Amino acid sequence: MESIVENSFITKYKHMLFIKMGLYTGIDLLFVLLLITFLFPGDVVLNQYVPAFSILLVLVMTYTAISLKMEGFHHLILYAVFVLGIGSGILFFSASWWVLLPATIFLHWRISSYLQIKDPFIEVSSGSVLVFLFISAVSLFTGSIRQLENTYLVYSLLFLLFAFIGTFTSFQRMLASESKGAKKSIYKPFALLLMVFVSGGILAAVSSVISKGIYWLLEKAFWLFSFFVDPIFNGLIKLRDLIMKFFESNQEKGGGNKLAQQNHDESRLPAFGDGLSFSWVDEALLALLICFAIIYLFKKRKTSLELSTSEGTTPLMMTRGSDEIRVHHEKEEVSYSKARDIIRKSMERLEEEAYRNEAGRLPNENVQAWFTRIELEGNARFYFIYERVRYGRGVPEQDEVDFFTRQIQQHIQYLNTRHE
């Protein structure tokens, strides 16, 4: 029975870690594509680098799935995956090697950092979103000046960023939660994405018809207005002549000079709207929208940081399950079970022993990073039991409590014998 429970925990842990790796790798690839928009026009990026990096993403996720299945990450295989991705991008899509090589080095550095901390929960900081918005705004402005025509590509990357975050974090909450209705949480982002795609497809399909209809209505409106142009223009000419005659008949005495009537060549008068260009309006409106979004997220992040320093809460945009976001004073009203108290007291006893042996836990350091730093061996079931109790996602069984306390006792003995 214990092996079956342990296998279920390990399977859920692997699924959550795979989702996290997919989200983080996808966001890193979006950053790479966004930076490439500074170098090449939109059609080159779409025809060469988007399919090349899509193949690389598929290869990396295949490597991650196989590594999680085999319970081991081999860096040589990861190097081979990147070499295969670079070769396929150059061979099939004529991508430049001097672009693919730095991109793969960046991705290898990011993926290696993810593998060192095997925490399955997703933490997307608002700072990375702000940086992505800022780079997108700069790319739009520079691209319009250099006529790279990458406006819609940048819009698509922004949409994919928020789509990735919303969808993958919903998967994370569904797997982390044990309630029966947790699977419904994944329907909302999928329904929203489906609505966006359907509305965009309908708009793209009927945009030509709508534009022709609008142009036809404007043409008829100007055609009707043209009947009033000549009478209005003749009336304005008569009004001008009356004003000029009025000033000529009422000259100042002693001036000695009459105003010379000037003949204006009407053909040389500039037409209304000449010299005006409104191509910058969409970029200006988008810049204002991005500025407002950055200011809003910055204020929200500042508020969350103030709360984290005063109450010890976690940063903004952390997904730890559906029931983990709680107010501090509400935690005191929850009556915890005896099993939860035993696990919490065991962890506190381990932290006290670690402080005595000068291996204490650092502020804002999770358990896995702490164990890695002080060279303690932990498994997926141990971490999962602790996370469940810490965030209140269920009451552990008696066999889980016995397993956790045995692990704590072994860790305490190891810390005491290591410094003898």
Side-chain angles (χ1 to χ4, degrees):
M1 178 66 182
E2 183 177 353
S3 62
I4 296 175
V5 175
E6 186 173 358
N7 290 334
S8 64
F9 278 110
I10 293 174
T11 302
K12 184 179 290 188
Y13 167 78
K14 290 179 180 179
H15 290 168
M16 295 172 67
L17 185 60
F18 181 74
I19 291 173
K20 173 189 173 183
M21 292 290 294
L23 175 61
Y24 284 7
T25 307
I27 292 176
D28 292 336
L29 282 175
L30 291 180
F31 269 102
V32 171
L33 290 174
L34 185 60
L35 293 175
I36 293 176
T37 57
F38 288 92
L39 305 176
F40 303 101
D43 56 347
V44 175
V45 179
L46 286 174
N47 296 328
Q48 296 181 6
Y49 294 99
V50 170
F53 285 112
S54 298
I55 291 179
L56 183 60
L57 177 61
V58 173
L59 292 174
V60 170
M61 296 313 300
T62 304
Y63 160 77
T64 305
I66 296 174
S67 299
L68 289 174
K69 186 70 176 177
M70 303 300 295
E71 296 183 357
F73 293 92
H74 302 283
H75 289 280
L76 292 177
I77 301 178
L78 184 59
Y79 294 146
V81 167
F82 283 127
V83 171
L84 183 60
I86 293 175
S88 61
I90 296 174
L91 180 62
F92 295 109
F93 306 106
S94 301
S96 300
W97 67 269
W98 58 270
V99 175
L100 294 177
L101 184 60
T104 51
I105 293 174
F106 168 74
L107 291 175
H108 178 267
W109 167 63
R110 296 291 293 172
I111 292 173
S112 300
S113 63
Y114 304 151
L115 297 178
Q116 291 178 1
I117 302 175
K118 298 180 181 180
D119 186 3
F121 294 99
I122 296 173
E123 298 179 4
V124 181
S125 63
S126 58
S128 61
V129 178
L130 291 176
V131 172
F132 197 91
L133 290 174
F134 176 75
I135 298 175
S136 301
V138 176
S139 177
L140 286 172
F141 283 119
T142 57
S144 61
I145 293 173
R146 299 166 57 195
Q147 298 180 354
L148 295 178
E149 298 180 357
N150 54 11
T151 303
Y152 293 107
L153 178 60
V154 176
Y155 291 160
S156 301
L157 294 178
L158 286 170
F159 171 75
L160 288 175
L161 173 68
F162 292 106
F164 282 172
I165 294 175
T167 305
F168 281 79
T169 51
S170 298
F171 271 118
Q172 183 74 261
R173 288 192 297 270
M174 183 185 67
L175 290 175
S177 179
E178 296 182 353
S179 60
K180 295 182 180 179
K183 294 184 178 180
K184 295 182 179 180
S185 62
I186 195 62
Y187 298 153
K188 294 180 180 179
F190 271 128
L192 180 60
L193 291 176
L194 182 62
M195 288 176 59
V196 171
F197 278 118
V198 171
S199 59
I202 294 174
L203 183 61
V206 303
S207 60
S208 60
V209 179
I210 294 175
S211 61
K212 289 180 181 179
I214 293 175
Y215 291 151
W216 183 84
L217 291 175
L218 291 176
E219 181 183 0
K220 296 302 179 183
F222 282 113
W223 178 73
L224 292 175
F225 181 73
S226 64
F227 289 102
F228 301 97
V229 171
D230 291 338
I232 292 173
F233 183 74
N234 294 330
L236 291 175
I237 294 296
K238 291 179 180 179
L239 180 61
R240 184 198 65 181
D241 295 339
L242 289 174
I243 294 173
M244 296 297 293
K245 288 180 180 179
F246 175 77
F247 282 106
E248 288 177 358
S249 61
N250 293 279
Q251 295 180 8
E252 293 182 359
K253 295 180 179 180
N257 293 325
K258 294 183 179 181
L259 293 174
Q261 186 175 1
Q262 298 179 355
N263 294 323
H264 297 277
D265 189 1
E266 297 176 358
S267 63
R268 306 175 74 180
L269 293 175
F272 178 75
D274 288 351
L276 296 179
S277 176
F278 299 97
S279 60
W280 50 269
V281 173
D282 54 348
E283 285 83 1
L285 292 177
L286 179 64
L288 290 176
L289 178 62
I290 291 177
C291 289
F292 282 126
I294 290 174
I295 293 172
Y296 171 76
L297 292 175
F298 179 76
K299 289 184 178 180
K300 200 169 184 180
R301 180 179 176 83
K302 184 178 180 181
T303 304
S304 66
L305 289 176
E306 291 177 356
L307 291 175
S308 64
T309 53
S310 61
E311 299 182 4
T313 57
T314 56
L316 184 63
M317 295 183 70
M318 294 181 62
T319 58
R320 296 281 183 178
S322 58
D323 297 331
E324 82 182 57
I325 304 176
R326 302 177 185 274
V327 187
H328 181 69
H329 63 83
E330 291 180 354
K331 292 183 179 179
E332 300 176 356
E333 301 176 0
V334 180
S335 59
Y336 294 106
S337 64
K338 184 178 180 180
R340 291 177 175 176
D341 291 336
I342 292 174
I343 289 178
R344 285 190 175 86
K345 290 179 181 179
S346 300
M347 181 59 70
E348 291 177 358
R349 187 157 55 92
L350 176 62
E351 291 181 356
E352 291 176 358
E353 292 293 333
Y355 278 115
R356 291 193 187 99
N357 292 280
E358 297 180 355
R361 187 175 175 182
L362 299 177
N364 298 325
E365 186 179 23
N366 57 29
V367 177
Q368 296 185 18
W370 177 38
F371 277 23
T372 303
R373 183 172 56 84
I374 64 177
E375 299 179 354
L376 285 180
E377 294 183 359
N379 53 27
R381 187 185 180 191
F382 178 85
Y383 297 137
F384 204 83
I385 293 172
Y386 177 70
E387 295 292 335
R388 287 180 58 204
V389 174
R390 180 183 179 186
Y391 298 107
R393 290 196 295 267
V395 179
E397 302 293 338
Q398 184 61 41
D399 57 343
E400 296 176 350
V401 175
D402 296 338
F403 169 77
F404 192 86
T405 53
R406 286 198 304 269
Q407 292 289 321
I408 292 292
Q409 187 64 33
Q410 293 176 6
H411 294 331
I412 292 175
Q413 292 176 359
Y414 173 75
L415 289 175
N416 293 330
T417 57
R418 185 174 66 176
H419 290 81
E420 287 180 357

